[in-house]
Amino acid sequence: MKVAIVHDWLTSYAGSEKVLEQMILIFPEAEIYSLVDFMPEKDRGFLRGKNVHTSFIQKMPLAKKKYRQYLPLMPLAIEQFDLSSYDLILSSSHAVAKGVITGPDQLHISYVHSPIRYAWDMQPQYLRESGLQKGIKGTMAKVILSRIRMWDYRTSNGVDHFVANSQFIANRIWKVYRREASVIYPPVNVAAFSVKEEKEDFYLTASRMVPYKKMDMIAEAFSQMPDKKLVIIGDGPDMEKVKKHQTPNIQILGYQADHVLVDHMQRAKAFVFAAEEDFGITPVEAQACGTPVIAYGKGGALETVKGLDEIAPTGVFYSEQSPAAIRAAVQRFEQEKSKILPANCRKNAMRFSPEVFRQNLQTHIHNKQHEDGRRFGAERMITRVL
C-alpha cells in the first residue's frame, strides 16, 4: 500500500507537526508533501530523514520569511501535487492541505486542526489585528478571503472522512462544510512530565504573548489580588501590555527553556488558562504534572479539563474572559481545591498520550477502509495498519 501524508507547511516543530510525527510513526514508508519546507535542521528529527515534496511556493521570492503572504496562491499550489499513485492520502490540515486532488479509487482522510480560521469565523479578528479593516488593502484582503472560503468549501467534497482534533473543531467542521467528523485528540508528550504532590504557594500561566491568549487579562486579575502570587512565563507582542499590570505579587520570567517551564508546572498550586483554544496543549501538560487548571470554559479546555461538577475533577472553569471572572474562579479554587487530586489530574492527562493517539488513528483508518473496502486492496491495507 502506498501512503502520502500532506501537511500545510513545515517551518517549526509545533502542535500540528507533532501530529505529523505520529502519522509518520504509523506509516514509516509514507511520502511527505508540504507547500514549503523550511524546517530548521535542529528540529528535523521527527521527519526521520525523509525528503519532503514541496510546491512552487518553495522557490518564490522571500518565501522562507514571507510564505504566509502567498496565501492567494496556496490553493493552486496544493492542487499541483500529483498523488495519483497512492492508495491512502492522509492530510494534516489547518489551512489548505485538505484540498489536494484525489481520485475515486483513493481513500482521503483529513485530520483537521481547524478549517482556515482567518477565512471563516475569525476573519474579523484577523483583519483587525492585521490593520486590514479599511482601505484598498482591506478590500483586497476581503476579496481574497472570500475566494478562499469558496475554494475551501468546494474542496471539502474531496475528503472521504474528516477527523477533528476536538469536538469544538468537529462542530466548526459541521458549521463550515456540513460534514460529520470523528474526534481524535492530538498527541501530548505526557511522558515528559512527572507528578509532584507537594505544591507551592503560587499560580502559573505560560504562553506566547499574543492577543487571543489574554495574558494581560490574567495579569490584571492577579494585580487585583495582592495576596495571590502569579508567575508568568512567555514572550511575544503583548509583553508590554502584560508588564503594565505587574505588581509585587506578579513575577514575569519571559521566555524560559522547557525544563524551567516543567519545573514551575510541577510546583504551581494551579495553572491559569484564559484562551479559547481549539484543543489547548498546556492545560494537558499541567495536569500531567498533577497540577489543577483554572480555565476559560469554552473551546478545547472543556474536553481536556474535568470541572468540579464531574467525578475526579481536575480544574475550575470560569464563564467569561474578564479579570473579575478569573478572580472569582481563583477564589472558588481556593475553597474547593481539596477535591482536586494530583493523581486524578495525571490520569486525565494520560488520555492524550501519543500512544493513545496512534491507536485511535490506526483504528479509525482501519474502520473507514473497511467501510470503503471496495475502493482498493482491502486485505493489504488492513494488514498494514494492524
Side-chain angles (χ1 to χ4, degrees):
M1 184 185 64
K2 292 192 67 177
V3 180
I5 303 175
V6 186
H7 194 67
D8 288 305
W9 48 73
L10 288 166
T11 58
S12 63
Y13 181 63
S16 62
E17 286 70 37
K18 292 174 183 177
V19 168
L20 174 61
E21 179 179 20
Q22 298 305 314
M23 290 179 172
I24 293 172
L25 287 174
I26 295 171
F27 296 106
E29 295 179 4
E31 295 192 47
I32 311 301
Y33 289 79
S34 179
L35 290 176
V36 298
D37 177 12
F38 298 118
M39 183 67 64
E41 197 62 39
K42 65 181 179 61
D43 295 330
R44 297 189 69 83
F46 78 100
L47 293 171
R48 297 180 168 261
K50 288 182 174 293
N51 292 321
V52 178
H53 302 277
T54 57
S55 74
F56 63 80
I57 295 177
Q58 179 82 16
K59 297 181 179 179
M60 297 291 280
L62 303 176
K64 188 170 185 178
K65 293 184 177 180
K66 304 286 188 180
Y67 66 93
R68 292 179 186 271
Q69 294 188 13
Y70 287 106
L71 175 65
L73 295 178
M74 287 181 182
L76 174 63
I78 206 73
E79 291 179 343
Q80 300 313 300
F81 288 138
D82 180 5
L83 305 180
S84 58
S85 64
Y86 298 97
D87 303 306
L88 170 66
I89 292 89
L90 281 177
S91 58
S92 168
S93 184
H94 58 76
V96 298
K98 73 138 185 53
V100 290
I101 295 175
T102 59
D105 59 344
Q106 296 173 295
L107 181 63
H108 179 191
I109 296 177
S110 186
Y111 187 94
V112 176
H113 307 274
S114 176
I116 310 174
R117 298 177 183 88
Y118 34 86
W120 292 100
D121 53 313
M122 294 184 70
Q123 176 182 297
Q125 179 180 333
Y126 166 74
L127 294 173
R128 183 171 59 253
E129 293 175 359
S130 302
L132 295 173
Q133 293 172 287
K134 301 178 181 178
I136 295 176
K137 287 185 177 180
T139 300
M140 290 177 61
K142 292 170 186 175
V143 169
I144 290 169
L145 291 176
S146 176
R147 291 180 177 179
I148 290 285
R149 280 194 297 277
M150 289 187 286
W151 174 87
D152 191 38
Y153 177 78
R154 176 179 60 78
T155 57
S156 67
N157 293 313
V159 176
D160 295 296
H161 303 286
F162 279 101
V163 180
N165 71 355
S166 65
Q167 187 58 52
F168 182 70
I169 291 303
N171 294 343
R172 185 178 281 170
I173 289 171
W174 174 255
K175 182 76 172 181
V176 170
Y177 306 138
R178 280 299 188 262
R179 294 284 302 278
E180 297 284 353
S182 302
V183 175
I184 298 178
Y185 295 115
V188 180
N189 187 17
V190 291
F193 303 84
S194 58
V195 174
K196 186 168 185 177
E197 296 276 350
E198 297 299 322
K199 303 300 182 181
E200 299 180 19
D201 188 24
F202 71 91
Y203 292 84
L204 173 69
T205 188
S207 174
R208 187 159 185 269
M209 294 182 184
V210 291
Y212 86 95
K213 295 288 189 178
K214 307 292 184 182
M215 296 288 277
D216 57 325
M217 187 181 73
I218 297 174
E220 182 179 356
F222 276 83
S223 71
Q224 298 164 1
M225 296 185 290
D227 59 326
K228 305 288 190 295
K229 296 178 183 177
L230 174 68
V231 175
I232 300 175
I233 293 178
D235 202 352
D238 276 8
M239 174 62 89
E240 291 306 313
K241 291 183 181 179
V242 173
K243 286 183 175 179
K244 286 181 181 179
H245 298 291
Q246 187 172 16
T247 48
N249 60 312
I250 298 175
Q251 184 180 15
I252 301 175
L253 300 183
Y255 172 80
Q256 295 293 324
D258 287 347
H259 73 275
V260 176
L261 174 59
V262 172
D263 175 62
H264 281 79
M265 274 189 172
Q266 290 173 321
R267 294 187 291 115
K269 181 187 296 186
F271 184 83
V272 185
F273 189 70
E276 180 185 335
E277 291 277 17
D278 303 332
F279 174 72
I281 290 177
T282 49
V284 177
E285 293 175 337
Q287 291 172 88
C289 296
T291 300
V293 177
I294 299 173
Y296 175 48
K298 194 172 181 181
L302 287 174
E303 301 173 57
T304 61
V305 179
K306 299 175 70 175
L308 288 171
D309 58 341
E310 297 185 60
I311 298 172
T314 65
V316 175
F317 292 117
Y318 53 95
S319 59
E320 65 178 38
Q321 290 175 309
S322 71
I326 292 176
R327 293 199 310 271
V330 170
Q331 294 300 329
R332 188 180 181 198
F333 170 76
E334 292 278 357
Q335 294 166 2
E336 303 192 55
K337 62 185 176 183
S338 61
K339 297 179 180 178
I340 304 174
L341 304 179
N344 289 336
C345 292
R346 176 73 180 187
K347 182 179 179 181
N348 187 52
M350 294 305 293
R351 296 190 293 129
F352 308 100
S353 71
E355 294 79 11
V356 170
F357 173 83
R358 289 198 301 273
Q359 181 59 57
N360 288 342
L361 185 59
Q362 285 176 308
T363 300
H364 181 79
I365 293 171
H366 166 72
N367 290 341
K368 294 307 178 184
Q369 183 279 327
H370 190 73
E371 292 173 12
D372 299 349
R374 66 187 183 279
R375 296 187 173 197
F376 56 87
E379 289 148 4
R380 182 175 49 166
M381 184 169 186
I382 291 171
T383 301
R384 178 65 188 87
V385 170
L386 293 179

